[in-house]
Amino acid sequence: MTALDLSSSVAVVGTGTMGQGIAQVALVAGHPVRLYDALPGRAREAADAIGARLDRLVEKDRLTGADRDAARARLLPAETLSELADCALVVEAVLERLDVKQELFRELEDIVDDDCLLATNTSSLSVTAVAGALRVPGRFVGLHFFNPAPLLPLVEVVSGFATDVTYATRAYETARAWGKTPVACADTPGFIVNRIARPFYAEAFAVYEAQGADPATIDAVLRESGGFRMGAFELTDLIGQDVNEAVTRSVWESFFQDVRFTPSLAQRRLVESGRLGRKSGHGWYDHRDGAERPEPDTAERRQPPAYVVTEGDLGPAGDLLALIREAGIPVRDEDEDNGTRLVLPSGGQLALADGQTSVEFRDVVYFDLALDYRKATRIALSASQDTSPQTLAEAIGLFQALGKKVTVIGDVPGMIVARTVARIIDLAHDAVAKGVATEEDIDTAMRLGVNYPLGPFEWSRRLGRSWAYALLDDLHLRDPSGRYAPSLALYRHAHASDKREGTAS
């Protein structure tokens, strides 16, 4: 079944920001569009607002005047649902309440043809549950656009338990014909993006709750070392703390309070206090006029070590050796196959975050994962109260000699970027194993939906098949709550690699 013909009318029910955006996408693609809202006059106001946005597109030379006029002529506000009778697709963007959505679609079923594709833009409710109220649930799908819909390319096309594959295909092809990048997924809590993105927020909040670092510092490490466009605290302030926490809570409850998705108590207190982010003037940060943005914690200048000694393979951090040599610091190689660390002149060691803690060892400083050690502008280190001050000073000086700002956080296992990326990789493997989506669609969804620098499987291939499993397994030993227990899918992925490489598992 192919995309809807451009002569087919598309209806959007609900004319808030998302409804208007979806209507604009369908309109610019060439469809006649009907707008309906239960509140009198809202549809006409929405049509005027869309018309104004079309004018701005003309001003920016992204739309011709003739195309704008034609689009305006195809946009018709509707005063009653019955005016949607001839539509081939109806997309709902109303209140996120199951009973409200079910009642709407029950009414629509008595109005539209049985072949009309019905779609919900829900981000948190079960597509299967919404369709459960219908007599023809096979033609019901989720079409989850991301805000702002005219600008963001991703659309999650969600098949409920009863969705007929022909209608899911029609929805997918229609979204693609509209210039979007659709990904197909099963009806699971959070779909792809909101399911797999939970650790990005959760681990940042967990480091903060453990007093490992403050929000500005954690955000800086995620951006400047991890390569994320925004840190978790600034992003949730932008989204709205109430909105972000509601999605987290919905996913957690939908998975029967699975500990992997447990909401943050610190974020709950923020919401209870009314500090919702930019929209309220205060969230994790103070957004009021004249407020100063806090600076991330940055170490003072230290002398670089006279040399470093390598023990074994640094794995994902192997590029550091070239950078150290380029900085003029001699690198001495030791032939120790079981080592994965740098030895400093003090005798202390520097190791990539692996899920263990510094306090467990005689004199170890951990450094965090970076997306690209050459391009990273900041590196995080962690040490315990027992770490030699000389070892920590040499570690700081080493990275500063490489042109990096250095942040020292508490003795947090897995640190910031490493534990976040490992958990994202784990949830992605688990989702594929459970038939939620393909590896390709998950990578696409996470890059386009939340602007991750790499998709989870791209990251997994770059870091090595067993990297995420090993880190999470060590974290699980230190926090046996189940939050960090690697999934069976990740276990199989890591050990399949061992078998191919001829090592014992």
Side-chain angles (χ1 to χ4, degrees):
M1 191 174 280
T2 58
L4 292 176
D5 187 272
L6 289 180
S7 63
S8 301
S9 294
V10 173
V12 177
V13 178
T15 59
T17 301
M18 186 58 75
Q20 289 182 32
I22 296 170
Q24 181 179 328
V25 170
L27 191 65
V28 172
H31 289 274
V33 174
R34 307 277 175 79
L35 284 173
Y36 175 79
D37 198 287
L39 293 176
R42 278 288 180 84
R44 169 55 62 188
E45 291 174 5
D48 291 341
I50 293 171
R53 284 199 291 272
L54 296 179
D55 289 339
R56 288 194 290 274
L57 291 178
V58 173
E59 293 169 2
K60 296 177 181 179
D61 293 325
R62 293 169 57 187
L63 191 69
T64 67
D67 286 342
R68 173 200 57 198
D69 295 342
R72 278 180 164 172
R74 294 193 303 271
L75 182 59
L76 299 174
E79 295 184 3
T80 65
L81 280 178
S82 61
E83 295 176 53
L84 313 184
D86 63 342
C87 289
L89 166 63
V90 180
V91 184
E92 162 273 318
V94 301
L95 189 65
E96 283 286 274
R97 275 181 43 188
L98 180 61
D99 59 336
V100 172
K101 293 181 188 292
Q102 286 182 328
E103 179 57 32
L104 169 64
F105 284 111
R106 274 195 293 260
E107 290 184 51
L108 283 169
E109 265 204 315
D110 293 333
I111 294 169
V112 300
D113 292 338
D114 282 354
D115 192 45
C116 175
L117 180 62
L118 300 178
T120 175
N121 184 59
T122 186
S123 61
S124 60
L125 298 177
S126 163
V127 171
T128 300
V130 179
L134 304 181
R135 57 180 172 77
V136 188
R139 43 86 172 267
F140 190 85
V141 300
L143 275 179
H144 182 215
F145 289 78
F146 288 74
N147 193 27
L151 297 180
L152 296 186
L154 186 69
V155 178
E156 292 178 317
V157 181
V158 186
S159 293
F161 185 79
T163 301
D164 190 306
V165 66
T166 57
Y167 286 97
T169 302
R170 181 190 291 178
Y172 184 97
E173 294 300 333
T174 297
R176 185 158 65 175
W178 290 358
K180 295 301 180 182
T181 303
V183 292
C185 65
D187 184 21
T188 184
F191 310 142
I192 298 174
V193 172
N194 280 330
R195 172 179 178 152
I196 295 174
R198 291 351 295 161
F200 178 73
Y201 312 108
E203 294 313 306
F205 298 160
V207 172
Y208 167 75
E209 289 175 332
Q211 300 186 57
D214 61 88
T217 298
I218 295 169
D219 279 351
V221 172
L222 286 168
R223 289 193 315 269
E224 299 171 37
S225 182
F228 292 96
R229 185 169 296 185
M230 298 180 74
F233 296 90
E234 57 191 342
L235 180 55
T236 52
D237 265 4
L238 179 63
I239 294 169
Q241 298 302 330
D242 52 340
V243 173
N244 181 261
E245 202 249 2
V247 172
T248 299
R249 186 168 295 276
S250 173
V251 171
W252 175 61
E253 291 175 347
S254 297
F255 275 116
F256 308 105
Q257 300 186 354
D258 186 328
V259 68
R260 296 177 302 166
F261 301 101
T262 302
S264 161
L265 180 59
Q267 188 181 37
R268 174 94 292 255
R269 292 292 179 259
L270 205 65
V271 173
E272 290 173 340
S273 71
R275 294 189 171 189
L276 307 181
R278 289 183 179 274
K279 62 186 177 183
S280 70
H282 207 304
W284 296 110
Y285 299 105
D286 188 343
H287 299 280
R288 292 170 295 187
D289 291 342
E292 292 187 11
R293 181 70 175 264
E295 292 293 325
D297 183 68
T298 303
E300 294 182 359
R301 198 76 194 173
R302 297 287 190 273
Q303 288 296 317
Y307 62 87
V308 296
V309 179
T310 65
E311 290 187 351
D313 181 5
L314 291 180
D319 289 347
L320 281 176
L321 296 180
L323 295 178
I324 293 171
R325 291 188 177 99
E326 290 169 15
I329 299 173
V331 177
R332 303 175 185 177
D333 296 323
E334 293 286 343
D335 186 18
E336 294 190 19
D337 292 336
N338 62 345
T340 57
R341 301 181 178 194
L342 294 175
V343 181
L344 299 166
S346 64
Q349 297 181 326
L350 188 61
L352 176 62
D354 59 7
Q356 301 181 87
T357 56
S358 180
V359 74
E360 300 171 51
F361 303 96
R362 184 183 65 81
D363 198 11
V364 169
V365 173
Y366 279 106
F367 64 93
D368 208 350
L369 180 69
L371 174 68
D372 184 325
Y373 283 99
R374 184 172 291 276
K375 295 180 180 178
T377 57
R378 182 180 297 271
I379 296 293
L381 305 179
S382 71
S384 75
Q385 66 272 21
D386 297 330
T387 303
S388 160
Q390 180 61 25
T391 295
L392 181 57
E394 289 177 347
I396 293 170
L398 175 63
F399 282 104
Q400 288 174 338
L402 306 186
K404 316 298 183 187
K405 296 176 182 177
V406 176
T407 285
V408 180
I409 69 170
D411 190 13
V412 178
M415 301 192 68
I416 298 171
V417 179
R419 69 197 283 175
T420 299
V421 171
R423 287 206 60 216
I424 289 170
I425 289 172
D426 183 45
L427 289 187
H429 278 280
D430 185 53
V432 169
K434 292 177 178 174
V436 173
T438 65
E439 290 186 9
E440 181 181 4
D441 276 356
I442 287 175
D443 275 355
T444 298
M446 302 314 290
R447 285 196 315 269
L448 299 183
V450 278
N451 290 310
Y452 283 4
L454 291 174
F457 294 97
E458 292 174 312
W459 235 321
S460 183
R461 288 188 289 272
R462 177 183 289 197
L463 296 169
R465 293 177 64 92
S466 62
W467 177 85
Y469 174 80
L471 187 143
L472 290 175
D473 196 39
D474 277 337
L475 265 171
H476 178 54
L477 288 174
R478 288 149 185 83
D479 179 358
S481 64
R483 178 188 180 102
Y484 300 104
S487 67
L488 179 58
L490 191 64
Y491 175 87
R492 286 172 171 159
H493 177 76
H495 287 74
S497 172
D498 288 343
K499 184 178 291 185
R500 276 199 298 274
E501 293 170 4
T503 59
S505 60

